[in-house]
Amino acid sequence: MSLQVGFHLSGTVTEPAMQSEPESVCNVAISFDRCKITSVTCSCGNKDIFYCAHVVALSLYRIRKPDQVKLHLPISETLFQMNRDQLQKFVQYLITVHHTEVLPTAQKLADEILSQNSEINQVHGAPDPTAGASIDDENCWHLDEEQVQEQVKLFLSQGGYHGSGKQLNLLFAKVREMLKMRDSNGARMLTLITEQFMADPRLSLWRQQGTAMTDKYRQLWDELGALWMCIVLNPHCKPEQKASWLKQLKKWNSVDVCPWEDGNHGNELPNLTNALPQAGNANQDSSHRPHRTVFTRAIEACDLHWQDSHLQHIISSDLYTNYCYHDDTENSLFDSRGWPLWHEHVPTACARVDALRSHGYPREALRLAIAIVNTLRRQQQKRMDMFRLQKKELLHKGVTSITNLEGWVGHPLDPIGTLFSSLMEACRVDDEGFHGFPDFSDGFGHCKSLEYQHLSPHKFLEEGESYLTLAVEVALIGLGQQRIMPDGLYAQEKVCRNEEQLISKLQEIELDDTLVKIFRKQAVFLLEAGPYSGLGEIIHRESIPMHTFAKYLFTSLLPHDAELAYKIALRAMRLLVLESTAPTGDMSRPHHIASVVPNRYPRWFTLSHIESQQCELASTMLTAAKGDVRRLETVLESIQKNIHSSSHIFKLAQDAFKIATLMDSLPDITLLKVSLELGLQVMRMTLSTLNWRRREMVRWLVTCATEVGVYALDSIMQSWFTLFTPTEATSIVATTVMSNSTIVRLHLDCHQQEKLAGSARTLALQCAMKDPQNCALSALTLCEKDHIAFETAYQIVLDAAATGMSYTQLFTIARYMEHRGYPMRAYKLATLAMTHLNLSYNQDTHPAINDVLWACALSHSLGKNELAAIIPLVVTSVKCATVLSDILRRCTLTTPGMVGLHGRRNSGKLMSLDKSPLRQLLDATIGAYINTTHSRLTHISPRHYSEFIEFLSKARETFLMAHDGHIQFTQFIDNLKQIYKGKKKLMMLVRERFG
């Protein structure tokens, strides 16, 4: 059921029953005025920014079935037709039907009407909610302001989780849709959104903590600023509206926590948005210049207007020309063809295009966009002509200039993206053949499949040009512009992100012959345009690198013009900020450049990303150049000259190796050599620096050299000292080269094997001389099959043993000697090791104990003389009683050496403890027990008493091995009882055990 009374529509909407919900009926009331819904109410109670489904249903019902809706005059007109009795009856029936709801209100109104002095009687007539507004009243679509505020507040409080960022972006898109429909609520809604953003408590928290806001949140602020720019640039807004917005923007701008335009880093750039008077003071000290906030550009844009007659002619007519115009200066209004030009700070001019599109003027936006692109192309040509005249002088001086400190790609106003989108929309064709200007709401529902065609109905295009070619060309111009790296992490990340987004859009376009011509034309421009191009011959050291863009150009041009593709890619490989001799350049912008760029390097926060993109470009060229010797050599030279990161060169070496050794083809020997050459460069770069991947790099290089051939392996061993540490050379390089798997892989004959082994042995001996501590054992192992080399290695160990080697290293080599069947050499090294050892009384778990026991066992097995020689060394080096007693016990259990030196048989008698050398060992052991006992008693605690008693028991066993051991031990115990009589409990335990 529905009813329309004047400008008020009411009805009931039935919602069918669902599985879990019964059927429901909602009462809906809608007021409208001049084709706009001005207020809505619904009994469903749903709270949302947008109209509920029941309001939409009733509205559509009224539109589609007007005959089904009863129309009545406004209620005031109906009442006017009634006499007094009818009016009384009407009121009484109304009260009767709704007495519980309206009776208090009815009585209140009756009292006021009957009172002569009441306010209600001071006004002529009475209100009628069904009569509509007067012609002078504001009329706008209904907007539930409270709900807008609540929703935005909720999304912000979720901090980017639960899809809140997406929801906020949908709200921004809704604002753009409202602007396009010229709905005055667009600005109202954005005001409400902005107020909630400004009230976000995280802003002050981040400012206090000095932390940066999240990247996604930062992007929302960017969109907020861009939307305000669009709103204040509305070509048909009233002056009082703009004044109101300016006041509000300045209020937000003055708040302490208002985000800065370039993230949390202060932007030192002067006002470059437009040619306003305040730009004249741009060279003042940056510390006194106020920070630019996300609202600064919108505030500045409030001073812009649309009254310029040239501008008005451009946007209003496709036929605006002046073929008699002959002013060919930099800022002429028409070009040589008589086509209009628009000279304005490029981001500002493009902001006008965005504003026209946003406010529902797509054709006007397109006309201005074409004028801007034609202006940019003319400037590009003129600047290249100018550079050609000065080229010799500039190249001789080795200087360059940056003509644009504000790069267009990554700019807060996204000028290139705006031009590109405007032109692409104009050539978009859907599957029904429609082209032109799509509805902004396409993004919210089911999008039709889209393609782009060469549409050129516009007058100001060259023959063969189209909106599509113009869009592609302006994108290439913007991406190739030489511009300086901005300050701050966020601004630098934005440059990278916007560049990648624009390239991604370009990659969606299939290149045909017409577009390839554009690519060729712009590629030549970029190479020859000097300081205006990021790919010019000389660039400023802080220019944003072109690696990502050049990779796209390279892959696009390669099938059509390989020579040009390689020229672009090779030119782009440079990364001057990392080179100490890069040209400093002339930052020539007459009035403010000098103070803008001092002392910024090395604040390139995105340097690691930039280096990875440089690496990607190089890898792409290597892949493409497979099989082409000349190109591979050129790419290799470029990599060696321009890439400064060892990890990236290593990646390229690995990439080249993979490409060269693909399973479906024979190895590409030239590419393998490139891979090896890069690997050698990595070795040289990381030889004297710490790199956690170094071991992996060395192993990989040997693998690569093996794949290249035996001469490559021989070469790296000959020049090992420039590539490897001695340890790497022996333990990894030479060992791998000598392995059976390498010999099998290379199919070496005996002669080749011996030659390679000779190089490995020479390397091993050189390394042992240079670093005997770490290389001696490897050298001995590698030289085992050559007697002279082995003897040389052994002599190197002996020479180094006196000074440069530790007991651990010497014991390890000694054990190896014994294992190889050289017991006397092992013994010699063991005695040398003993001279470096020092075990104190309490080191009874020291790792060297096993080596000492082994050395004594070896000496014992060799004979009495060898044992007699090592025991004095043991006594000098070892002060630990338990270790000494262990050695003593082992020496007394068996006869020294069954077969002595030169084959002499030993007598077979056990050695006497009363004679040297065991007497010396026994005395030392007893002395060690006495010293250890006194040391322990100095700091002993009751919980260690029982352990101490066991220790004394072991000591007694050693004392008793001596001829007069019983007497010595008794005297020792008596001394303890006398000296430590204060430790009564402990001494009582000593008496109980030992008397």
Side-chain angles (χ1 to χ4, degrees), residues 484-498:
I484 202 160
M485 181 65 79
D487 280 331
L489 171 62
Y490 178 74
Q492 292 177 18
E493 285 180 339
K494 191 173 181 180
V495 167
C496 298
R497 184 169 56 246
N498 283 23

Side-chain angles (χ1 to χ4, degrees), residues 13 96 208 210 215 247 288 319 321 381 435 480 500 502 524 534 577 587 634 652 655 664 758 852 885 887 923 938-939:
V13 178
T96 302
Q208 288 166 9
D215 205 43
K247 183 180 178 183
H288 296 102
L319 303 173
T321 57
Q381 181 64 57
H435 68 83
E500 287 164 5
L502 194 52
V524 172
V577 78
M587 309 286 282
T634 308
L652 288 171
D655 288 349
D664 58 350
V852 173
S885 63
I887 295 169
D923 290 344
T938 306
H939 302 292

Side-chain angles (χ1 to χ4, degrees), residues 493-601:
E493 285 180 339
K494 191 173 181 180
V495 167
C496 298
R497 184 169 56 246
N498 283 23
E499 181 183 41
E500 287 164 5
Q501 287 170 347
L502 194 52
I503 289 172
S504 177
K505 289 176 184 174
L506 284 169
Q507 286 170 332
E508 294 172 7
I509 302 169
E510 190 173 340
L511 297 189
D512 56 18
D513 291 343
T514 307
L515 291 175
V516 169
K517 285 179 184 175
I518 298 292
F519 269 76
R520 275 201 176 107
K521 169 190 163 186
Q522 281 302 322
V524 172
F525 264 125
L526 290 169
L527 289 171
E528 298 181 4
Y532 307 99
S533 163
L535 290 164
E537 285 184 59
I538 300 179
I539 57 170
H540 190 274
R541 70 174 285 146
E542 290 200 33
S543 279
I544 291 171
M546 296 279 117
H547 308 127
T548 308
F549 177 43
K551 180 187 169 187
Y552 167 67
L553 283 180
F554 178 80
T555 52
S556 301
L557 283 169
L558 192 63
H560 312 286
D561 191 336
E563 192 66 31
L564 185 57
Y566 276 100
K567 276 184 182 176
I568 286 281
L570 291 166
R571 177 73 63 81
M573 275 292 289
R574 61 200 171 185
L575 185 51
L576 299 188
V577 78
L578 295 183
E579 294 179 13
S580 57
T581 57
T584 54
D586 165 28
M587 309 286 282
S588 58
R589 193 106 182 238
H591 58 289
H592 63 251
I593 302 304
S595 64
V596 174
V597 195
N599 305 322
R600 288 203 312 187
Y601 179 76

Side-chain angles (χ1 to χ4, degrees), residues 783-807:
C783 296
E784 281 177 355
K785 295 181 180 178
D786 186 288
H787 177 71
I788 296 173
F790 188 81
E791 289 297 320
T792 305
Y794 176 66
Q795 191 57 49
I796 290 170
V797 175
L798 291 180
D799 293 343
T803 54
M805 300 185 75
S806 68
Y807 62 83

Side-chain angles (χ1 to χ4, degrees), residues 358-556:
S358 299
H359 288 285
Y361 303 102
R363 296 186 193 284
E364 291 82 352
L366 182 62
R367 290 174 187 135
L368 182 56
I370 291 171
I372 293 169
V373 176
N374 281 333
T375 307
L376 289 177
R377 295 196 295 183
R378 179 175 177 269
Q379 287 175 347
Q380 189 183 45
Q381 181 64 57
K382 279 191 166 297
R383 286 171 176 174
M384 189 167 80
D385 294 342
M386 190 191 310
F387 172 66
R388 282 173 174 166
L389 293 174
Q390 305 171 338
K391 183 175 179 179
K392 284 186 178 178
E393 181 186 353
L394 288 175
L395 292 181
H396 177 70
K397 290 180 178 177
V399 298
T400 185
S401 59
I402 291 184
T403 59
N404 205 324
L405 288 176
E406 279 193 308
W408 298 332
V409 174
H411 190 280
L413 299 179
D414 191 20
I416 299 299
T418 297
L419 293 174
F420 182 81
S421 301
S422 300
L423 292 161
M424 290 301 286
E425 278 181 4
C427 63
R428 194 169 74 168
V429 179
D430 66 19
D431 48 16
E432 293 176 0
F434 172 80
H435 68 83
F437 308 100
D439 195 320
F440 270 77
S441 61
D442 282 358
F444 301 102
H446 173 68
C447 287
K448 295 177 178 178
S449 60
L450 299 173
E451 60 180 76
Y452 301 99
Q453 290 189 1
H454 290 287
L455 299 168
S456 54
H458 201 279
K459 183 176 176 126
F460 305 128
L461 294 175
E462 295 278 8
E463 186 179 344
E465 283 187 342
S466 65
Y467 297 140
L468 181 57
T469 62
L470 221 57
V472 169
E473 188 163 14
V474 79
L476 298 180
I477 290 171
L479 287 164
Q481 175 205 28
Q482 184 181 181
R483 64 262 190 200
I484 202 160
M485 181 65 79
D487 280 331
L489 171 62
Y490 178 74
Q492 292 177 18
E493 285 180 339
K494 191 173 181 180
V495 167
C496 298
R497 184 169 56 246
N498 283 23
E499 181 183 41
E500 287 164 5
Q501 287 170 347
L502 194 52
I503 289 172
S504 177
K505 289 176 184 174
L506 284 169
Q507 286 170 332
E508 294 172 7
I509 302 169
E510 190 173 340
L511 297 189
D512 56 18
D513 291 343
T514 307
L515 291 175
V516 169
K517 285 179 184 175
I518 298 292
F519 269 76
R520 275 201 176 107
K521 169 190 163 186
Q522 281 302 322
V524 172
F525 264 125
L526 290 169
L527 289 171
E528 298 181 4
Y532 307 99
S533 163
L535 290 164
E537 285 184 59
I538 300 179
I539 57 170
H540 190 274
R541 70 174 285 146
E542 290 200 33
S543 279
I544 291 171
M546 296 279 117
H547 308 127
T548 308
F549 177 43
K551 180 187 169 187
Y552 167 67
L553 283 180
F554 178 80
T555 52
S556 301

Side-chain angles (χ1 to χ4, degrees), residues 900-966:
L901 206 58
H902 308 305
R904 296 197 315 265
R905 292 196 63 83
N906 286 303
S907 60
K909 294 181 180 178
L910 290 173
M911 294 179 70
S912 170
L913 287 169
D914 292 332
K915 296 179 182 177
S916 184
L918 292 191
R919 179 69 202 188
Q920 185 182 2
L921 180 59
L922 176 60
D923 290 344
T925 306
I926 291 171
Y929 269 117
I930 292 170
N931 292 333
T932 303
T933 300
H934 288 297
S935 295
R936 284 194 173 192
L937 284 172
T938 306
H939 302 292
I940 197 166
S941 63
R943 70 174 183 273
H944 294 129
Y945 284 177
S946 57
E947 180 189 331
F948 177 72
I949 296 299
E950 293 305 317
F951 174 76
L952 285 181
S953 298
K954 289 181 180 178
R956 182 169 58 180
E957 292 174 9
T958 302
F959 271 81
L960 294 177
M961 294 174 77
H963 175 69
D964 55 350
H966 179 75

Side-chain angles (χ1 to χ4, degrees), residues 753-977:
Q753 285 182 42
E754 183 50 40
K755 186 181 178 187
L756 205 58
S759 295
R761 287 192 291 267
T762 302
L763 174 151
L765 292 173
Q766 289 172 348
C767 293
M769 286 287 288
K770 194 172 182 68
D771 184 7
Q773 298 95 325
N774 296 307
C775 300
L777 182 57
S778 296
L780 287 165
T781 307
L782 289 164
C783 296
E784 281 177 355
K785 295 181 180 178
D786 186 288
H787 177 71
I788 296 173
F790 188 81
E791 289 297 320
T792 305
Y794 176 66
Q795 191 57 49
I796 290 170
V797 175
L798 291 180
D799 293 343
T803 54
M805 300 185 75
S806 68
Y807 62 83
T808 307
Q809 293 162 341
L810 289 168
F811 274 131
T812 303
I813 297 170
R815 284 175 180 265
Y816 160 80
M817 279 293 184
E818 186 199 31
H819 178 70
R820 302 305 303 166
Y822 296 104
M824 285 307 296
R825 290 183 174 181
Y827 167 76
K828 173 68 174 172
L829 291 169
T831 58
L832 290 170
M834 287 299 299
T835 62
H836 294 287
L837 182 65
N838 183 22
L839 282 183
S840 63
Y841 76 92
N842 57 352
Q843 290 182 293
D844 51 0
T845 57
H846 195 281
I849 290 171
N850 284 332
D851 288 322
V852 173
L853 294 175
W854 167 82
C856 291
L858 174 66
S859 305
H860 191 271
S861 69
L862 289 173
K864 181 178 178 181
N865 293 337
E866 288 75 19
L867 184 61
I870 204 168
I871 282 177
L873 299 176
V874 171
V875 168
T876 303
S877 301
V878 180
K879 306 301 179 188
C880 182
T882 52
V883 175
L884 290 171
S885 63
D886 196 0
I887 295 169
L888 183 63
R889 193 187 76 258
R890 293 179 186 214
C891 289
T892 57
L893 291 177
T894 57
T895 305
M898 296 309 295
V899 179
L901 206 58
H902 308 305
R904 296 197 315 265
R905 292 196 63 83
N906 286 303
S907 60
K909 294 181 180 178
L910 290 173
M911 294 179 70
S912 170
L913 287 169
D914 292 332
K915 296 179 182 177
S916 184
L918 292 191
R919 179 69 202 188
Q920 185 182 2
L921 180 59
L922 176 60
D923 290 344
T925 306
I926 291 171
Y929 269 117
I930 292 170
N931 292 333
T932 303
T933 300
H934 288 297
S935 295
R936 284 194 173 192
L937 284 172
T938 306
H939 302 292
I940 197 166
S941 63
R943 70 174 183 273
H944 294 129
Y945 284 177
S946 57
E947 180 189 331
F948 177 72
I949 296 299
E950 293 305 317
F951 174 76
L952 285 181
S953 298
K954 289 181 180 178
R956 182 169 58 180
E957 292 174 9
T958 302
F959 271 81
L960 294 177
M961 294 174 77
H963 175 69
D964 55 350
H966 179 75
I967 298 168
Q968 281 189 59
F969 186 72
T970 302
Q971 289 175 345
F972 172 53
I973 293 297
D974 289 341
N975 286 339
L976 289 182
K977 287 188 283 188

Side-chain angles (χ1 to χ4, degrees), residues 36-48:
K36 296 185 180 77
I37 293 174
T38 54
S39 71
V40 300
T41 57
C42 180
S43 61
C44 70
N46 286 348
K47 296 288 186 183
D48 201 348

